[in-house]
Amino acid sequence: MRYLITGIAILLTLQACNKNCSEVNSDISGGIVKTYDFGNCLIYAQLDSHRVISTDTGWISYKKKYLGNCNPAGLENIDFSQNMLVGYKVTEFGCNLGMHRKLIVDETAKTYTYQVRVEVCGGCNSRLSSPNWVLMPQLPPGYTMRFETVRE
């Protein structure tokens, strides 16, 4: 009987997890150009916290160090004269996560803030994370980069 009750509880939990989680989506806004797709190399492109790659030299170095076990030949070219590649790892617990990525430019404070607003579809206790790699305009001279997570 105890196993039956435990099985029903697990089944109900799994059903609750998947109920509305398919409606959770991710998007970009502000000055973000686009999300960057590492394709099959994504498993090697993970982060501990955040990273800004703003030059061809930095990109070549990153690929040699982290993507050596993957064939990076298929990766999209990045025009570092216009854009930089920025990653910001966010980890939460839930069934599904929606990552709402936004670049906030403050000309008075001379900052770029990469904000990730996390929408969590709860009911599960799965550890989920995203490196949130995006392309955004190059940081103007004299500006600093900030990272911010907003949890809903």
Side-chain angles (χ1 to χ4, degrees):
M1 182 68 157
R2 184 174 75 184
Y3 295 112
L4 179 62
I5 293 172
T6 302
I8 291 171
I10 290 171
L11 188 62
L12 290 174
T13 301
L14 290 174
Q15 192 173 22
C17 271
N18 298 321
K19 196 172 189 179
N20 293 317
C21 289
S22 62
E23 298 172 11
V24 177
N25 295 308
S26 296
D27 58 21
I28 60 172
S29 63
I32 292 177
V33 176
K34 64 186 280 185
T35 57
Y36 189 79
D37 183 9
F38 276 86
N40 295 334
C41 294
L42 182 61
I43 61 170
Y44 302 104
Q46 298 300 311
L47 300 167
D48 291 328
S49 60
H50 60 273
R51 179 174 301 275
V52 176
I53 302 171
S54 59
T55 64
D56 287 314
T57 305
W59 180 226
I60 291 167
S61 174
Y62 181 84
K63 288 191 291 187
K64 282 182 183 176
K65 185 173 182 178
Y66 294 100
L67 305 181
N69 292 327
C70 181
N71 179 7
L75 294 178
E76 180 182 347
N77 289 330
I78 300 170
D79 180 0
F80 286 104
S81 69
Q82 299 292 315
N83 299 311
M84 59 184 182
L85 180 62
V86 180
Y88 180 34
K89 182 178 180 177
V90 175
T91 302
E92 286 292 339
F93 291 87
C95 299
N96 193 9
L97 301 177
M99 299 291 179
H100 305 284
R101 304 166 185 102
K102 183 177 186 179
L103 173 61
I104 302 167
V105 179
D106 185 335
E107 294 176 358
T108 304
K110 292 190 174 191
T111 59
Y112 269 21
T113 301
Y114 182 16
Q115 180 188 79
V116 177
R117 184 173 51 83
V118 184
E119 179 182 1
V120 179
C121 183
C124 303
N125 200 22
S126 298
R127 184 177 186 265
L128 305 171
S129 64
S130 173
N132 294 298
W133 287 106
V134 296
L135 291 178
M136 61 177 65
Q138 278 285 350
L139 199 63
Y143 277 61
T144 56
M145 188 80 204
R146 296 182 48 220
F147 296 86
E148 176 180 275
T149 305
V150 177
R151 290 173 169 84
E152 293 184 345

